[in-house]
Amino acid sequence: MTTSDLDPAVPRSADPAVDADEARRARNRRIEAVARWALPLVVVILTVWGWHLFSNSTQTRGLIFPEPARVWGRFLADYPMLFGSLMVTLKITFLALGIAIIGGVLLAILFTQSRFAELVFFPYAVVLQVTPIVSIAPLIFIYVQDPLARVLICAWIVAFFPILSNTTLGLKSTDSNLRDLYAIYGATWWQTLLFLQLPSALPYFLGGLRIAGGLALIGAIVAEYVAGISGSGSGLAFRILEASYRLNYPRMFAALIMIAVVGVIIFAATSFLSWVFLRKWHESAIRRET
Amino acid sequence: MTDLSNRPILPIAQRPRLLEMTGVSKVFNSTVMALDGMNLTVNEGDFLSLLGPSGCGKSTALRLIAGLMRPTSGRIGWIGAHDRGDIGVVFQEPTLMPWATVARNVWLPFRLRGESFASVRDRVGTALELVGLENFRDAYPRELSGGMKMRVSIARAFVTNPRLILMDEPFAALDEITRQKLNDDLLALKAKIGCTVIFVTHSVFESVFLSDRIVVMAARPGRVVQELTVGAPYPRDMEFRTSPDYAAQTHVVSDALRRAMGDHSNDHL
Ligand SMILES: Nc1ncnc2c1ncn2[C@@H]1O[C@H](COP(=O)(O)OP(=O)(O)OP(=O)(O)O)[C@@H](O)[C@H]1O
Ligand SMILES: [Mg+2]
């Protein structure tokens, strides 16, 4: 069977003739490559500058709205303490996220294997999801004594649902023809799960992970707020509360910005993870030439 | 060619039976009679087309033969022993796993039997060569055209060297040029391997070109109304496509199909 007349089986060497369209595309690519970093940077610089002007706009405003330089100074001075708190917050966030991933994926697998299990457990998952964490947290703090466990539970509750619901949806979205094919070839339950359902669910799972990462951080912060100054916590939220009682506004800002940066980093990391896993085959991760 | 045996194709009358459907009915939702008492004997080496209007139970028959569901009544039996490696399937859609490369998609039937990729690399390579995609083994399905995806699907069906290949309107979604090319290639592949093919199609022309047996079916309820044989010898090529013999055969089959659809006027289709 010859195919040379049908398939472009031999890739052609680079064509020297570049048309106007191609040149325009190349120019746009170069502009985008620069703008991608330059634009956000400019925005940040302008924001900090505006902030600086605002803080100094009246004689006393700087006292409660400290200028960037003072926040930075405080950050450097308090760095060892803030860094320790950052580690505490990160530990809780990632532990909660880890448990949410394991629990969410396992429960999703259970749901797709057993309609009965889904009918039994899904309502609880929904109730946990729709009840605001700030209203559940005080109860958890009454019943759970361990300071790490109580915060962890709060963070887990908010991070868990997006993983569960997305993964369940993904596991159920396998191509039915592929499932038939697996059945015809006598695939075992385990093979079907491993080679077919889990890969099909991967894009959905990663979408859930992106949401859950941010939520785990929020859960960890909220739990610490609920624990309050009396709690034995020492995460970033605790530092903010503590600093507010001491009217240490620069430190509040420093801790707040750290939390925001952590959130951004988590989002970037989960997005990167999606890209790594999906870039070869999934539409969402494929960049098109326009 | 590694591991793809060359079974001889006998004349229809001398072919041993491969499987048999007797009085097979399938009812969906206790109301829809998808198949009503279907009888069919498939012989070793047949290229058998199931031809009929939409909804006449062609896919249902195929799924029953594949063992994907059980008949409501009647029985389907293989003559002699068979195992899961004996069936290959091609659906209307290429049905590839988008996250796996071409070679890994073709590996699937082996993988599900617990055979490592390394141990069947050559067989996968041979199958891809047979469909002309040896240069695309590391491509992902999304990088291929519709026709090329279908070739991968065909390679996957043939790679285990099965005795029976089931194809459910595999080329219906392709353009005419690609379809003709794939028809040619399919015949060459079948001749090389000497397997049996059951081929579902809507197209009279396609069924006449490909098959030596055509089973015409009718809908509501789904049933077999006529069996025809196409006597023209293989290999069939472009010459056959333009021969008076081919024209005459399509005429006969068109008539049969028209009668199956309950239309007795003889002047249009
Ligand atoms: N899983 C199912 N549940 C309910 N009804 C079904 C199911 N599968 C098929 N049917 C019905 O059985 C009848 C035959 O369907 P089948 O898919 O076998 O037809 P077909 O000949 O393959 O049609 P087409 O050429 O359109 O693919 C149709 O009326 C269809 O609605
Ligand atoms: Mg069909």
Side-chain angles (χ1 to χ4, degrees):
Chain A
M1 172 183 335
T2 65
T3 53
S4 51
D5 50 340
L6 184 64
D7 297 321
V10 190
R12 275 177 304 153
S13 58
D15 198 329
V18 178
D19 64 6
D21 219 29
E22 182 62 38
R24 185 182 52 76
R25 267 203 297 269
R27 204 177 55 238
N28 284 350
R29 263 200 304 274
R30 276 197 303 276
I31 291 174
E32 208 203 308
V34 176
R36 211 170 203 199
W37 299 105
L39 276 184
L41 205 66
V42 167
V43 170
V44 167
I45 290 171
L46 283 180
T47 308
V48 173
W49 188 52
W51 172 7
H52 174 83
L53 289 183
F54 181 75
S55 298
N56 292 308
S57 57
T58 68
Q59 206 91 69
T60 53
R61 181 164 284 152
L63 293 179
I64 55 165
F65 202 99
E67 60 174 343
R70 274 183 64 210
V71 172
W72 179 245
R74 195 73 255 160
F75 171 74
L76 291 181
D78 291 347
Y79 182 73
M81 181 183 71
L82 286 175
F83 184 76
S85 298
L86 172 68
M87 285 302 128
V88 171
T89 301
L90 281 183
K91 181 173 143 196
I92 292 164
T93 303
F94 283 105
L95 265 179
L97 191 58
I99 300 172
I101 290 171
I102 294 168
V105 170
L106 287 183
L107 206 54
I109 291 171
L110 181 67
F111 281 5
T112 44
Q113 298 308 319
S114 158
R115 178 99 186 98
F116 185 70
E118 185 174 8
L119 289 174
V120 171
F121 288 117
F122 200 68
Y124 290 101
V126 172
V127 166
L128 274 184
Q129 164 69 11
V130 298
T131 314
I133 187 64
V134 273
S135 55
I136 312 177
L139 275 177
I140 293 171
F141 279 77
I142 292 172
Y143 301 131
V144 181
Q145 298 309 322
D146 184 72
L148 176 67
R150 31 161 70 164
V151 181
L152 204 53
I153 289 174
C154 291
W156 172 79
I157 286 176
V158 283
F160 161 77
F161 191 78
I163 303 261
L164 170 68
S165 68
N166 270 33
T167 310
T168 306
L169 182 65
L171 289 172
K172 287 181 176 177
S173 307
T174 46
D175 182 304
S176 64
N177 279 338
L178 271 175
R179 234 173 326 184
D180 285 348
L181 197 70
Y182 272 65
I184 288 168
Y185 286 127
T188 61
W189 173 84
W190 179 242
Q191 285 175 323
T192 309
L193 178 69
L194 214 58
F195 304 155
L196 179 59
Q197 289 183 290
L198 287 181
S200 306
L202 190 61
Y204 296 81
F205 164 78
L206 289 168
L209 184 65
R210 234 197 268 202
I211 302 168
L215 286 181
L217 179 63
I218 292 176
I221 299 291
V222 167
E224 258 188 275
Y225 269 107
V226 174
I229 195 81
S230 59
S232 42
S234 54
L236 284 173
F238 174 81
R239 292 295 165 215
I240 291 181
L241 274 181
E242 186 194 44
S244 82
Y245 287 127
R246 295 183 185 172
L247 306 181
N248 190 341
Y249 298 119
R251 190 192 285 165
M252 285 180 76
F253 270 87
L256 178 63
I257 291 172
M258 284 175 83
I259 292 174
V261 168
V262 168
V264 170
I265 289 174
I266 290 176
F267 183 79
T270 48
S271 300
F272 178 73
L273 212 61
S274 288
W275 180 80
V276 166
F277 281 113
L278 305 182
R279 78 203 147 101
K280 290 277 184 52
W281 62 275
H282 199 258
E283 291 297 337
S284 68
I286 289 159
R287 295 190 61 194
R288 292 206 173 283
E289 291 263 318
T290 44
Chain B
M1 177 170 41
T2 46
D3 295 309
L4 289 173
S5 74
N6 203 340
R7 307 183 188 94
I9 303 289
L10 302 169
I12 293 180
Q14 298 166 27
R15 290 177 191 165
R17 289 175 309 159
L18 180 69
L19 66 84
E20 217 158 33
M21 302 174 73
T22 33
V24 170
S25 300
K26 181 72 191 176
V27 180
F28 286 111
N29 308 326
S30 347
T31 47
V32 183
M33 193 82 167
L35 276 181
D36 185 14
M38 178 169 179
N39 294 312
L40 182 68
T41 303
V42 182
N43 308 309
E44 202 102 43
D46 282 353
F47 197 122
L48 186 149
S49 284
L50 297 178
L51 177 69
S54 186
C56 70
K58 305 183 294 292
S59 298
T60 304
L62 224 53
R63 292 171 62 80
L64 285 165
I65 292 171
L68 284 171
M69 52 191 188
R70 300 174 160 282
T72 309
S73 63
R75 57 179 300 282
I76 301 169
W78 283 67
I79 313 300
H82 80 107
D83 64 50
R84 57 178 162 159
D86 282 342
I87 295 187
V89 199
V90 182
F91 298 98
Q92 180 169 346
E93 297 82 35
T95 313
L96 304 175
M97 297 175 288
W99 55 83
T101 61
V102 164
R104 304 240 156 203
N105 265 290
V106 175
W107 169 44
L108 180 73
F110 292 118
R111 185 184 203 191
L112 295 177
R113 289 193 216 160
E115 293 179 47
S116 73
F117 185 70
S119 72
V120 292
R121 187 187 299 272
D122 290 346
R123 295 184 69 171
V124 169
T126 306
L128 284 175
E129 250 164 64
L130 284 174
V131 296
L133 287 180
E134 61 274 20
N135 292 327
F136 289 88
R137 58 181 71 211
D138 296 322
Y140 284 82
R142 57 167 288 275
E143 301 170 89
L144 307 180
S145 70
M148 288 155 86
K149 281 184 209 161
M150 200 37 98
R151 287 169 182 279
V152 179
S153 194
I154 291 172
R156 179 180 59 195
F158 276 92
V159 75
T160 55
N161 190 24
R163 285 156 72 196
L164 176 64
I165 304 252
L166 305 174
M167 306 180 95
D168 194 350
E169 301 188 42
F171 309 141
L174 300 177
D175 62 274
E176 186 60 27
I177 298 167
T178 309
R179 186 202 306 218
Q180 284 198 8
K181 177 79 178 126
L182 279 167
N183 280 341
D184 292 340
D185 293 351
L186 175 60
L187 281 187
L189 201 52
K190 180 195 178 283
K192 212 169 224 166
I193 289 164
C195 58
T196 307
V197 177
I198 304 181
F199 190 95
V200 166
T201 179
H202 276 132
S203 161
V204 170
F205 302 100
E206 193 172 51
S207 68
V208 171
F209 180 72
L210 292 173
S211 349
D212 48 16
R213 292 179 62 202
I214 298 177
V215 172
V216 181
M217 298 178 66
R220 274 168 285 278
R223 63 199 185 278
V224 173
V225 288
Q226 198 169 354
E227 284 196 32
L228 302 151
T229 53
V230 180
Y234 296 98
R236 296 175 184 169
D237 49 19
M238 208 51 215
E239 217 168 296
F240 175 60
R241 246 191 209 112
T242 50
S243 69
D245 190 19
Y246 178 71
Q249 294 276 10
T250 54
H251 203 83
V252 172
V253 177
S254 290
D255 276 346
L257 186 61
R258 198 175 303 143
R259 276 196 303 280
M261 294 173 72
D263 178 2
H264 298 279
S265 66
N266 213 28
D267 43 40
H268 72 281
L269 182 65

